[in-house]
C-alpha cells in the first residue's frame, strides 16, 4: 500500500514551497474547496525507489467564524488520522512559537510518526538556530531550505525510514479491488449496504486498525472482489468543509489501493468541484473508472434523450477521457446496483487486456500507411512497428518511429481512439508512447 505524508505547519513557513520541491509543481493536483482561502495540493514523490503521496494541508484555513487555532487543530487532526507520516514544518527565523508547541504536543500524544523540518535554513551558517527546536520533543530537527533544496535529501531519507515496512507485499491476493468514491451524501454507504448488507464490518477510527479493515470481500452470484471502504467519513465530520476535506483525503487512500474506482455522482446535483477533485485523483493514479449516477429514482424525466443529455454532459466535464461507462442507479430501490459491479469487473478485465503484437500490427500498420503522421519541416515520419509492453499498471503501447519527436499529440490521440475502437478498453486509461528505434 502506498504511504501518505501530510505536511502541516503555520502559514508562511514554506509548506507549499516544500510541497513543490517534493512533487514537482507540474504533477500536483490542486484541490479547491469552497470557502478556503488557499487550495490544498496533492502530488506524488519518489525517493529511493519508493513512491508516496504528499498532501499539503496548508490551505486549511477557512473563512469561517472559527478561530485560527481550532482550524489548525483540525488540520493536525486530519493529518494524524489519515497520513502515515506527518511532516511538521517550522521556520528557523521565527523560533519555537506557541503554535509549534501545541502541534508538537498533539502529535506526540497521538504517537504519530513525525518528522520535524526546520525550514529557511538557506545556508549552513544559520543552521544553529535549528537546535532550539529539540525542545518540541519530536526528535532531531532536520534543517531544510525548501527554496534551494539544502537538507532535502536527509529529510526524505528520514521520511522513508518512517514508512510502514510492509508497503510492498501487502497485496492480499489478486482479486479485483474496487473503491466507491464520491462526495459525502452521494450514496456510497447506501450502495455498499445494499450490496453487502449491514453485516459489513464497521471501520474503526483507531490509528493502525483502519487500514486492516479497509477491504470488504464480496462473494455472491459468482462474483468475487474486494470493496475498498471509504465509509465512516461522515461519522467523524462536523461541518461541511470538514466533510469535504475528510472525504477527499479518505478517498486518496481508497483510490490508491484499488484497481477500479466507482465514482458516485448525485443525480440531483450534477458535477461539482469536489467531484472533479476526486476524479483527478482517480486519473492521477491511473485507475479504471465507472461513473455511477445515483439517486436516479429522484429524477423525474428519464426519456432516452434526457439520458443522452446527461451522459454527454458528464463526458464533457471529464474530457479528454471519455471512454468510460456511465450507469444510472438507485441505492434506495437497488436499481442497477449489480450492474455497477458487473461493469466494474468488466473494466477490470479491460485494464488487464493484452493485445498480441501480430494483431496490433495487422490493424495499425495499414492504417498508418494510409494516414501517416503529418510531415514536419519537410521530413517524412515513418512508424514501422508497434507493441504492447508487458507488466504495466495500465495497458501501454509503444509505436516505433524514425522521428518520434515530430509525432504530435493529435496524432497520438488519433491512434488511441483507433485502439479503443478495435479493442475494448472501456473505462481504463491506456498509455501510448512514440519512441525512436
Ligand atoms: P506556506 O504558507 O507554509 O505554504 O508557505 P509558502 O511555501 O507559501 O512560503 C511562504 C514564504 O516563505 C514565501 O515567500 C517563500 O518564498 C518563502 N520560503 C519558503 N521556503 C523558504 C526557504 O527555504 N528559504 C527562504 N528564505 N524562504 C522560503
Ligand atoms: P455517502 O455519504 O456517500 O455514504 O451517502 P449515504 O449512503 O449516507 O446517503 C446519503 C443520503 O442519501 C441518505 O439519506 C440516503 O438515504 C440517501 N440516498 C442514498 N442513495 C439514494 C438513492 O439512490 N435514492 C434516494 N432517493 N436517496 C438515496
Amino acid at each position: 500500500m502506498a504511504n501518505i505524508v501530510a505536511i502541516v505547519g503555520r502559514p508562511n513557513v514554506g509548506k507549499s514551497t516544500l510541497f513543490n520541491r517534493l512533487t514537482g509543481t507540474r504533477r500536483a493536483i490542486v484541490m479547491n474547496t469552497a470557502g478556503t482561502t488557499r487550495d490544498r495540493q496533492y502530488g506524488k514523490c519518489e525517493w529511493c525507489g519508493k513512491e508516496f503521496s504528499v498532501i499539503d494541508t496548508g490551505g486549511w484555513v477557512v473563512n469561517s467564524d472559527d478561530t485560527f487555532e481550532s482550524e489548525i487543530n483540525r488540520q493536525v487532526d486530519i493529518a494524524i488520522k489519515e497520513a502515515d507520516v506527518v511532516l511538521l514544518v517550522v521556520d528557523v527565523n521565527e523560533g519555537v512559537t506557541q503554535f509549534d508547541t501545541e502541534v508538537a504536543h498533539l502529535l506526540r500524544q497521538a504517537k504519530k510518526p513525525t518528522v520535524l523540518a526546520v525550514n529557511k535554513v538557506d545556508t549552513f551558517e544559520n543552521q544553529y538556530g535549528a537546535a532550539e527546536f529539540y525542545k518540541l520533543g519530536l526528535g532531531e530537527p532536520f534543517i531544510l531550505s525548501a527554496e534551494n533544496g539544502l537538507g532535502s535529501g536527509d529529510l526524505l531519507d528520514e521520511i522513508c525510514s518512517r514508512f510502514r515496512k510492509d508497503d510492498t507485499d501487502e497485496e492480499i491476493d489478486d482479486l479485483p479491488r474496487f473503491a466507491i468514491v464520491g462526495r459525502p451524501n452521494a450514496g456510497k454507504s447506501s450502495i455498499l449496504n445494499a450490496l453487502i448488507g449491514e453485516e459489513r464490518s464497521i471501520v474503526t477510527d483507531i490509528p493502525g486498525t483502519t487500514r486492516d479493515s479497509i477491504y470488504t470481500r464480496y462473494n455472491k452470484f459468482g462474483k468475487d472482489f474486494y470493496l475498498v471502504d471509504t465509509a465512516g467519513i461522515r461519522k467523524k465530520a462536523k461541518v461541511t468543509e470538514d466533510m469535504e476535506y475528510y472525504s477527499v483525503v479518505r478517498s486518496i487512500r481508497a483510490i490508491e489501493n484499488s484497481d477500479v474506482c466507482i465514482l458516485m455522482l448525485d443525480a440531483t446535483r450534477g458535477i461539482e468541484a469536489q467531484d472533479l477533485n476526486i476524479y483527478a485523483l482517480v486519473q492521477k493514479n491511473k485507475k479504471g473508472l465507472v461513473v455511477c449516477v445515483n439517486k436516479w429514482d429522484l429524477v423525474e424525466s428519464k426519456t432516452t434523450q434526457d439520458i443522452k443529455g446527461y451522459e454527454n454532459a458528464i463526458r464533457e466535464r471529464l474530457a479528454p477521457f471519455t471512454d468510460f461507462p456511465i450507469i444510472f442507479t438507485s441505492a434506495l430501490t437497488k436499481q442497477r446496483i449489480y450492474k455497477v459491479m458487473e461493469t466494474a469487473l468488466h473494466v477490470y478485465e479491460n485494464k488487464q487486456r493484452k493485445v498480441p503484437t501480430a494483431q496490433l500490427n495487422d490493424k495499425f500498420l495499414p492504417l498508418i500507411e494510409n494516414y501517416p503522421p503529418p510531415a514536419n519541416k519537410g521530413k517524412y515520419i515513418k512508424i514501422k512497428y508497434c507493441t504492447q509492453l508487458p507488466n504495466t499498471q495500465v495497458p501501454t503501447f509503444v509505436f516505433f518511429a524514425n522521428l518520434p519527436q515530430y509525432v504530435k499529440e493529435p496524432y497520438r490521440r488519433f491512434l488511441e481512439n483507433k485502439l479503443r475502437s478495435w479493442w475494448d478498453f472501456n473505462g481504463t486509461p491506456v498509455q501510448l508512447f512514440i519512441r525512436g528505434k
Side-chain angles (χ1 to χ4, degrees):
M1 277 192 201
N3 280 284
I4 299 176
V5 175
I7 307 177
V8 300
R10 282 184 307 119
N12 276 317
V13 292
K15 293 184 299 301
S16 64
T17 309
L18 177 60
F19 175 89
N20 291 343
R21 176 160 290 283
L22 295 180
T23 62
T25 9
R26 259 183 319 116
R27 308 195 303 153
I29 291 177
V30 176
M31 300 185 277
N32 41 3
T33 314
T36 52
T37 51
R38 219 182 66 186
D39 298 325
R40 287 174 295 275
Q41 302 190 88
Y42 164 86
K44 299 252 182 192
C45 176
E46 205 183 310
W47 188 254
C48 294
K50 280 186 196 169
E51 195 183 57
F52 56 92
S53 298
V54 185
I55 312 168
D56 170 17
T57 60
W60 194 232
V61 178
V62 195
N63 57 5
S64 68
D65 296 333
D66 283 349
T67 59
F68 173 70
E69 204 141 297
S70 69
E71 289 302 337
I72 294 292
N73 284 343
R74 277 192 223 159
Q75 181 195 110
V76 173
D77 190 46
I78 290 163
I80 287 172
K81 285 201 175 102
E82 305 301 346
D84 299 290
V85 175
V86 175
L87 180 54
L88 173 61
V89 183
V90 296
D91 183 337
V92 72
N93 303 317
E94 302 286 324
V96 176
T97 66
Q98 173 73 18
F99 167 84
D100 298 337
T101 309
E102 280 171 26
V103 172
H105 176 70
L106 290 172
L107 292 169
R108 281 199 317 269
Q109 230 176 12
K111 299 194 167 56
K112 193 73 194 172
T114 302
V115 178
L116 174 62
V118 182
N119 193 33
K120 307 197 185 178
V121 180
D122 298 336
T123 62
F124 279 111
E125 281 92 75
N126 55 9
Q127 64 178 299
Y128 303 105
E132 183 193 349
F133 291 91
Y134 267 108
K135 71 179 178 208
L136 291 177
L138 293 172
E140 187 189 348
F142 283 78
I143 56 160
L144 173 74
S145 171
E147 208 144 82
N148 71 23
L150 186 138
S152 59
D154 287 347
L155 182 70
L156 279 161
D157 284 344
E158 180 65 17
I159 291 170
C160 287
S161 76
R162 302 293 189 88
F163 286 153
R164 281 170 284 126
K165 296 286 173 276
D166 54 0
D167 60 346
T168 43
D169 44 31
E170 211 183 311
E171 303 274 304
I172 9 184
D173 47 41
D174 52 11
L175 286 181
R177 290 168 299 168
F178 303 147
I180 303 177
V181 296
R183 65 154 159 249
N185 282 319
K188 300 182 296 298
S189 311
S190 303
I191 210 166
L192 210 70
N193 285 337
L195 283 167
I196 322 194
E198 302 290 344
E199 79 265 25
R200 174 169 63 90
S201 58
I202 302 300
V203 180
T204 59
D205 285 350
I206 305 160
T209 61
T210 47
R211 68 180 63 95
D212 303 324
S213 52
I214 197 170
Y215 297 104
T216 308
R217 184 152 176 187
Y218 179 94
N219 189 325
K220 276 181 197 164
F221 312 118
K223 312 273 188 255
D224 204 359
F225 52 82
Y226 286 102
L227 283 166
V228 186
D229 214 329
T230 55
I233 295 160
R234 278 175 314 136
K235 286 80 203 170
K236 294 189 285 194
K238 293 176 204 78
V239 296
T240 334
E241 295 94 301
D242 251 8
M243 292 216 302
E244 292 200 359
Y245 190 48
Y246 269 124
S247 78
V248 173
V249 178
R250 275 308 275 269
S251 301
I252 291 173
R253 194 183 289 284
I255 290 167
E256 287 184 345
N257 292 324
S258 71
D259 299 302
V260 176
C261 295
I262 297 158
L263 175 61
M264 286 199 90
L265 305 176
D266 183 332
T268 63
R269 297 188 59 171
I271 297 186
E272 290 165 12
Q274 200 188 356
D275 300 310
L276 294 174
N277 286 337
I278 295 173
Y279 173 65
L281 293 170
V282 175
Q283 278 222 304
K284 182 160 196 80
N285 284 287
K286 301 199 182 84
K287 301 302 182 183
L289 176 72
V290 175
V291 169
C292 175
V293 183
N294 192 41
K295 307 197 187 178
W296 196 235
D297 56 292
L298 297 179
V299 174
E300 281 177 10
S301 173
K302 294 175 209 171
T303 64
T304 317
Q305 214 171 5
D306 291 333
I307 294 176
K308 263 270 156 289
Y310 237 107
E311 289 188 348
N312 289 341
I314 292 169
R315 290 191 208 284
E316 224 162 80
R317 291 301 296 279
L318 304 187
F321 182 48
T322 53
D323 184 21
F324 54 81
I326 302 175
I327 301 178
F328 298 87
T329 61
S330 167
L332 199 70
T333 68
K334 299 201 176 187
Q335 190 184 19
R336 282 190 285 269
I337 62 170
Y338 297 101
K339 176 91 184 291
V340 174
M341 294 303 138
E342 270 166 28
T343 309
L345 279 164
H346 186 73
V347 168
Y348 177 76
E349 279 165 23
N350 291 347
K351 197 161 173 270
Q352 316 286 100
R353 188 172 304 290
K354 299 276 178 291
V355 183
T357 303
Q359 276 185 34
L360 271 179
N361 286 283
D362 282 352
K363 283 286 195 187
F364 271 113
L365 295 186
L367 173 86
I368 292 168
E369 180 87 25
N370 287 328
Y371 302 94
N376 192 305
K377 298 180 184 141
K379 294 207 171 79
Y380 290 100
I381 300 152
K382 294 191 196 72
I383 295 175
K384 281 276 170 60
Y385 178 72
C386 53
T387 188
Q388 181 173 1
L389 298 181
N391 309 320
T392 51
Q393 196 196 346
V394 301
T396 303
F397 301 85
V398 182
F399 290 74
F400 292 95
N402 58 336
L403 297 164
Q405 69 276 24
Y406 289 153
V407 181
K408 297 286 184 260
E409 181 57 22
Y411 193 77
R412 206 201 51 75
R413 187 142 284 158
F414 163 73
L415 295 178
E416 178 175 335
N417 289 340
K418 286 294 174 189
L419 179 81
R420 289 183 180 278
S421 74
W422 289 328
W423 293 279
D424 189 355
F425 287 109
N426 193 227
T428 178
V430 300
Q431 299 183 111
L432 256 75
F433 296 114
I434 319 281
R435 289 205 187 129
K437 276 179 281 200

